[in-house]
Structures are given as structure tokens and as C-alpha cells.
Amino acid sequence: MAGLQHRVRDGIHSFVEFDNVEKHLIDSQPFQRLRDVHQLAMCYQIYPGATHRRFEHSLGVMEVAGRIFDRVFAPTVLAEDVRDHLGDHLREDAKIYWRRVTRIAALLHDVGHLPFSHAAEDLLAPGWDHERLTAELIRHSEIGQILGRERPPIVPEDVVDLCWSPKSRRKVEAGAIDGLSPFKLILNELITGNTFGADRIDYLLRDSHHAGVAYGRFDPDRLIHGLRLIVAPEDEELALALDIGGIHAAEALLLARYFMYSQVYFHDVRRAYDIHLRDFLKGWLGTRFKDGLFPTDWQQHQRLSDSHVQVAMQEAAFTAGHPLHELARRLLCRCHYRTVYTLVAQHKEANPNILNDVRDFLIGEYGDEAVRMHQYGPKSEVNDFRVVTRDRMSTTSYAVSEVIKNVPAFDIGFVFVEARIASQAERRVRTYLRGSLGEPGGGN
Amino acid sequence: MINYDGHALILAVIEDFHANGKAVYKHQIQKVLYLLSIQGEVNVPFDFVLYRRGPYSFEVDAEIEQMLSYAAITRAASGAYGTTFIPGRNAAFVHEHARAFTPAEQHAIHRICQFAAEQTPLELDRVSAAGWLRAREQLRDDQGIASRLRSLKSHVSNDEANTAAQSLARLLPA
């Protein structure tokens, strides 16, 4: 195995260590570009410390993925039936290879991100997202050459298989998912998994640290120490599971995720900024590219990062008469739209379309340009995972943890309007809700 | 916008199990819907991929979340194979907004639900995977399907693979 010959300090994991091939990948242009892609878009407008970038997050995900791999494939942790399933994958050379692929896939999983990360992914041509761009870069850029120079060579397609989440990949390469072995699916889950994925573990810890909120903290070491592979009784395939001793660490992670989503990622003003950022990018792309969309050609994609957008934004904000002047001012001069409606569960139960209805009502009152809407979810089911009890029986997280069973679903919706009409619009929304839902105070 | 027709189909599966005194696992809903999609009597507006446990639809998963959020369905309990579902207090809302099923569609849904309820989870996985091989890989004879099933799932025995192919042939004659 190539030794870990390099290390850098990291605010979350103390040190991140890496070997020569990982260093070459880190030094590559696609990876260095991540120094200029904010992890949380313009969240720094609400949480001033949240200026961290995809670069350090990616290093952190590699570190965590390596730790999880070492834990779940440790000889003392592997049960007999799991060893039978793994077969040749447990040969020392195979294990070394797949450990490297896992760490590299974790390192590279975000190289395809657009400027300001997720803020404007819908401004890509249909069928494209940052994960597909990541695959393009691994397959065609200097990354593929670096991987090919290794002895034995690292197959770029193996890296793609491990870092591209099946949920996203099935939209464009469904056949590739059909062909993924259970072993590769497990390694993919170590990185992209909803509950124990290295990506999620790192971003919750890192984002909460930089945002300066305590919500995202949990005990990653205890969590990782509790992970193991099992043969799942429901399909007799390999599955990632948690020893019962780690259940409180998992509860803490899931609560951390809930609080981070509700307080940071889906903070209403942050979402308003995302909408304004998308509006600005749409206008800006229209001036640069014929189709008005982000390029999907990987070489052109590499030339765009946050700084390019920020320069354009400054120029537009401080130039009266610039076609993007108003859009840029919303972002840089805190002229963001204000929240006049927040989705609540009892409204949705009375009318599942209430969010759209409120938006349409306000558009009818004030016009299309004065109103914006954001919606996310509902999502909840990802908390249902396998747990191994003290007597080595397999059960589910819902069966052993009332906390996990009751973590609320994310079902988030906001309607925003221009600041100048916010007070009046809010009153009108209350009246509208009284009329359509029969609610005394509008409940807002 | 809410996909009421899709919700009505999911609800119909849950209601069928419920009418027979059973709660249904998400995994069973997925497999019933896939089998319905290849049966062809009912329009199933969801895409499927071949995943760990056979045909699986991420869209069905998302729509179940949506239905939970307005109480069209509700969680019943946590069992050995995950969460089970029963109709929720707002189930009538779906019926009001969705297109009603024809008698032929209702019959098709009931027939496949009944079949699914008689299978163990592993058997249902194998039958639906066999269905995938017939529909997507154009495998026509039981032996070819069984053999391909074995190549996909090495732990599936010859007997289990043959039984799956034969069960599929009985349920949905080619």
C-alpha cells in the first residue's frame, strides 16, 4: 500500500493524510478549482462565518471514507457470512485497491460542482447535474490520466461507480446501475449514503463549525466505530449496519441533520438568496452562452467558479442601467425578498397544494416578478437502517429508537415577495388563508 | 403539483392489503407497482431501475413521502422489513382528486396485491426481478430467466430461481 506521506491540518478532523496519487489529484486543476466554490453558496449573508469551500470538505470526506472503510473491513469486525459474501474482495491486493478507490472517489465526489454549489443546478441542460459533470471530469480530464499512471492502474470507471449516487445516475445511465455489484453499492453508500455516508458526516460537522451553530455536532468516532457489514435478512445481500452501541451517536447525527436543515440549509433568508442568485446567474449566463445555460463541456465548466460570478455581480450592482443591476443589488445590497408565507403541516393536510395556491394568489395580486417560491421535501424515510443487537440479531433503527422514529420529516416551503410590499402581502396572505382554510389567524 | 393519479395507485395497493387485514411494507408496494407496470392493464406513472432488491422506483419513494405529509397514508408499525403503511385520515382526498380506476384496473391491482401478500419478501423480490428480466432483457423462457436471475444474485439457488420464473409465468402469462 502506498504510505500516507503527506498531511494537512484540518479544522474538523485535526489532520487529513494522503499519499502521492491523492496528492497529484489534489494538485490537479479540477480539484484546485474547488478552492473557489463556496460550500454553502451565499449562506455567508446570514451566517458570516460560512465562507468555507468545497476544497476542504472534499479532503474531509476522503478522510472519513478511509476511516469507515478501515472499520467495516477490519478482520475483527467481519462476521463469517459477510466474509463468504465478500469472497475475493478480501484478498489483500483487492482490499488495498478498493480502499484507494474509495478514498479517491470520496476526494473527487464534488469536482463537478457549479459556481456556488447547488444554487443553480437547474441552469444546466436537461439530464445534467454536478454528479454527471464529476463523472465527466474523472473520465476525460487530467484526473483520468493521473489514475491511469498508478501501478496497478486505478480504473476511472470504478471511481465513478463509487462517487455517483444511484439516485442521480439512474436518470442518465440507468443501465450502469443495473450492473453495479452489491460490493460496489456498499462502497458507494460509504460515501454517498443518506445516513452514514462520509459526505454527510463531514458536511454536517464542517458546516455547523463554520456557520457557528452547535446544531450539527455529534460524535463521528463513536458512530464510525459502530458500523459493520452484515448480510441483510430481507434480501441476503451485503448491507451497512450499526451496532446497537452506536445508536445514540446515530440519533445525534440524525437530530443534527434535522436542526442543520431547518436552521441553516433551509433558513428562509438563505433560500431567498439562493433564488436571487439563480435569477442573477440566469441573466448572466444569457449574456455569455448562446443557450443561456451552464456549459456541460468539462473544459468550459472548469473555467467558471465563484470569483467569475462575484466580479460580474459587483459590476452589475454598481453600474446603474446595467441589465442585471437590480438582480445584483438584491444580492449585494441586502435587498432580498421577504418571507410572507411558511408552509405548516396543518395547512398542507387541509390542502396539499396550499403552497402553490398562496404563490398563485400573490402573483395575481402583485404580478409574477414580485413573487418567488421555494419548496423542498417532504423527506423522512432515510432514517430507517439496519441495527445489530447485542445478541447479534439484525433489526431496524425504528424498532430500537423512539428518537429516530420521531425525527420530523423535512417539508419546507416559503413564499417570498419584494421587500416594499412585504407587510401588505403578509396581511393579504392571512386573509386568503382565513378564506381558503377557515383558519382564524392564518396560522402564519 | 400533487400527482394525485400516482397517489391513487399507491393508495389502492395499501387499501387492498388493508382490506385484507394487512399492513404493507414499502418494499411490497414497490414490487406490486412494478409487476403492475409490466402487466399493462394499469398505467403506472413511475420509472424503475434494477436495484439491490430487484426493480425499484425512486419516484415511488418520493411520492410515499408526499402522501405521508398530507396524511393520505400513515405509518402503521415498524416490522422486521421496515415500516408498514395503512390508509391515512385524508385518504378520501386522493379519491376526490384522482381519476377513478376502471373495474379492469381494480381487478388487476387486486390480483397482484393478493399474489404479493402470499409471497415472502425474498420470493417477491425474485419474482419481480424475473419480471424485469422478461420485460427489459426480453428473456422469454423460464429456464433463461432463472439462469439469468442466478447470474445476478449468486446466493439464489436453482430451485428458488426456477420457482420465481414459474410464479411469474403463472401470474403474468407471456
Side-chain angles (χ1 to χ4, degrees):
Chain A
M1 188 192 310
L4 295 170
Q5 297 148 20
H6 313 276
R7 54 165 48 180
V8 289
R9 284 273 186 188
D10 178 69
I12 305 303
H13 307 296
S14 299
F15 287 102
V16 173
E17 297 185 316
F18 43 93
D19 64 19
N20 277 335
V21 67
E22 290 161 354
K23 181 176 187 304
H24 289 140
L25 292 166
I26 291 166
D27 290 346
S28 71
Q29 195 270 331
F31 194 83
Q32 287 293 314
R33 174 182 165 274
L34 297 181
R35 289 184 188 274
D36 192 29
V37 178
H38 283 89
Q39 172 83 3
L40 295 179
M42 294 185 78
C43 196
Y44 55 77
Q45 292 279 14
I46 295 93
Y47 295 97
T51 56
H52 53 304
R53 316 299 168 105
R54 292 269 154 194
F55 182 86
E56 53 265 38
H57 163 63
S58 299
L59 292 174
V61 178
M62 175 176 71
E63 173 67 25
V64 175
R67 281 191 214 166
I68 298 175
F69 186 100
D70 292 342
R71 162 69 194 177
V72 300
F73 289 101
T76 51
V77 177
L78 291 169
E80 204 56 43
D81 57 345
V82 174
R83 286 172 184 276
D84 288 346
H85 259 72
L86 287 169
D88 282 351
H89 293 303
L90 286 179
R91 276 198 344 246
E92 198 51 28
D93 57 339
K95 217 169 130 181
I96 289 168
Y97 176 79
W98 286 109
R99 184 181 190 278
R100 300 192 86 188
V101 175
T102 302
R103 280 178 55 95
I104 287 169
L107 179 71
L108 299 175
H109 79 287
D110 268 352
V111 290
H113 260 296
L114 297 169
F116 291 102
S117 296
H118 295 286
E121 279 207 25
D122 66 322
L123 296 178
L124 278 164
W128 286 85
D129 61 13
H130 79 273
E131 292 190 73
R132 188 172 175 189
L133 282 164
T134 294
E136 285 288 293
L137 286 159
I138 293 169
R139 287 166 173 159
H140 304 300
S141 77
E142 65 184 279
I143 289 172
Q145 293 158 21
I146 295 168
L147 297 175
R149 280 204 299 267
E150 273 304 290
R151 289 293 171 266
I154 291 164
V155 179
E157 216 49 41
D158 286 339
V159 179
V160 170
D161 286 344
L162 265 51
C163 70
W164 195 348
S165 68
K167 191 174 178 179
S168 160
R169 192 174 188 180
R170 54 110 194 181
K171 294 172 195 160
V172 285
E173 291 184 5
I177 296 175
D178 301 347
L180 280 187
S181 66
F183 178 70
K184 276 189 173 176
L185 283 171
I186 283 287
L187 297 184
N188 182 296
E189 193 182 344
L190 296 190
I191 299 166
T192 71
N194 268 324
T195 311
F196 305 124
D199 183 24
R200 175 151 289 176
I201 289 175
D202 185 82
Y203 79 62
L204 286 174
L205 294 168
R206 194 171 299 279
D207 294 346
S208 65
H209 171 79
H210 287 281
V213 298
Y215 309 120
R217 291 186 193 149
F218 56 94
D219 185 350
D221 297 325
R222 183 66 191 88
L223 185 72
I224 292 169
H225 191 75
L227 293 175
R228 66 168 59 240
L229 295 177
I230 62 164
V231 177
E234 69 269 26
D235 64 354
E236 296 176 350
E237 291 287 8
L238 288 174
L240 196 57
L242 184 71
D243 285 340
I244 187 75
I247 197 72
H248 298 310
E251 288 171 345
L253 176 143
L254 294 170
L255 286 171
R257 189 178 72 192
Y258 175 74
F259 290 129
M260 283 297 285
Y261 270 70
S262 50
Q263 299 293 315
V264 178
Y265 304 135
F266 291 100
H267 187 290
D268 61 336
V269 181
R270 188 254 156 112
R271 286 294 145 189
Y273 271 99
D274 274 1
I275 291 169
H276 295 325
L277 183 55
R278 185 201 170 277
D279 287 348
F280 178 82
L281 284 166
K282 191 177 175 194
W284 181 67
L285 290 168
T287 66
R288 287 177 61 102
F289 300 102
K290 259 192 284 185
D291 57 2
L293 297 171
F294 278 114
T296 51
D297 171 82
W298 66 267
Q299 285 163 312
Q300 285 193 63
H301 166 267
Q302 287 298 286
R303 295 197 186 101
L304 291 176
S305 57
D306 291 12
S307 299
H308 299 93
V309 179
Q310 283 171 314
V311 168
M313 214 183 278
Q314 299 256 349
E315 177 69 20
F318 301 113
T319 309
H322 191 289
L324 302 176
H325 180 65
E326 272 310 311
L327 296 178
R329 271 181 45 78
R330 285 177 196 164
L331 289 159
L332 295 186
C333 306
R334 295 199 64 82
C335 303
H336 61 85
Y337 281 24
R338 304 302 198 257
T339 313
V340 293
Y341 177 69
T342 302
L343 181 65
V344 291
Q346 62 264 41
H347 290 178
K348 190 163 181 185
E349 286 192 18
N351 173 5
N353 262 328
I354 187 67
L355 191 66
N356 288 312
D357 288 353
V358 170
R359 177 203 54 192
D360 293 346
F361 165 73
L362 288 169
I363 287 174
E365 295 286 304
Y366 301 106
D368 202 38
E369 189 44 39
V371 183
R372 294 286 184 275
M373 183 182 95
H374 175 78
Q375 183 171 23
Y376 176 85
K379 282 192 176 182
S380 66
E381 282 293 296
V382 290
N383 304 338
D384 198 2
F385 54 85
R386 284 270 149 206
V387 176
V388 179
T389 60
R390 291 193 203 289
D391 51 0
R392 293 278 169 248
M393 298 298 288
S394 168
T395 182
T396 69
S397 54
Y398 283 6
V400 297
S401 170
E402 283 299 310
V403 173
I404 291 174
K405 203 159 77 177
N406 291 302
V407 174
F410 306 116
D411 195 3
I412 289 160
F414 303 111
V415 181
F416 309 99
V417 299
E418 279 178 21
R420 64 180 174 81
I421 55 169
S423 303
Q424 186 194 55
E426 205 169 352
R427 285 196 297 277
R428 295 217 176 169
V429 168
R430 284 207 193 99
T431 309
Y432 174 80
L433 292 174
R434 270 200 298 275
S436 70
L437 301 176
E439 184 145 315
N444 211 31
Chain B
M1 295 302 284
I2 302 288
N3 174 10
Y4 286 117
D5 286 340
H7 290 192
L9 191 51
I10 293 169
L11 183 60
V13 174
I14 294 171
E15 286 177 333
D16 194 283
F17 274 76
H18 191 58
N20 291 301
K22 291 175 178 165
V24 56
Y25 288 107
K26 190 192 280 185
H27 138 272
Q28 289 172 302
I29 300 171
Q30 290 268 3
K31 304 310 175 202
V32 167
L33 292 174
Y34 180 70
L35 290 170
L36 272 170
S37 76
I38 57 171
Q39 193 261 0
E41 185 66 48
V42 181
N43 175 37
V44 178
F46 308 116
D47 289 330
F48 289 83
V49 292
L50 190 62
Y51 210 37
R52 270 178 61 115
R53 303 183 58 182
Y56 176 83
S57 169
F58 289 98
E59 292 156 5
V60 169
D61 215 38
E63 295 301 346
I64 287 174
E65 295 282 352
Q66 187 68 262
M67 294 174 76
L68 283 166
S69 76
Y70 67 93
I73 59 174
T74 189
R75 289 189 185 88
S78 294
Y81 301 106
T83 309
T84 57
F85 300 95
I86 55 175
R89 62 180 178 281
N90 278 342
F93 208 97
V94 178
H95 296 305
E96 283 165 27
H97 288 78
R99 180 185 68 81
F101 292 112
T102 64
E105 288 172 330
Q106 287 172 7
H107 175 71
I109 293 166
H110 175 64
R111 191 163 162 266
I112 291 184
C113 286
Q114 210 171 20
F115 170 82
E118 289 163 1
Q119 308 291 307
T120 67
L122 283 168
E123 286 167 345
L124 188 56
D125 286 353
R126 292 194 286 265
V127 174
S128 60
W132 176 278
L133 297 175
R134 190 167 85 184
R136 301 291 177 106
E137 298 192 9
Q138 308 295 317
L139 299 176
R140 286 288 168 245
D141 63 301
D142 292 358
Q143 207 133 39
I145 291 174
S147 158
R148 177 77 176 114
L149 194 56
R150 287 260 305 134
S151 76
L152 279 177
K153 303 246 173 197
S154 54
H155 58 270
V156 173
S157 71
N158 279 327
D159 279 355
E160 289 167 339
N162 285 328
T163 304
Q166 287 157 9
S167 297
L168 176 74
R170 277 194 301 277
L171 178 70
L172 306 173

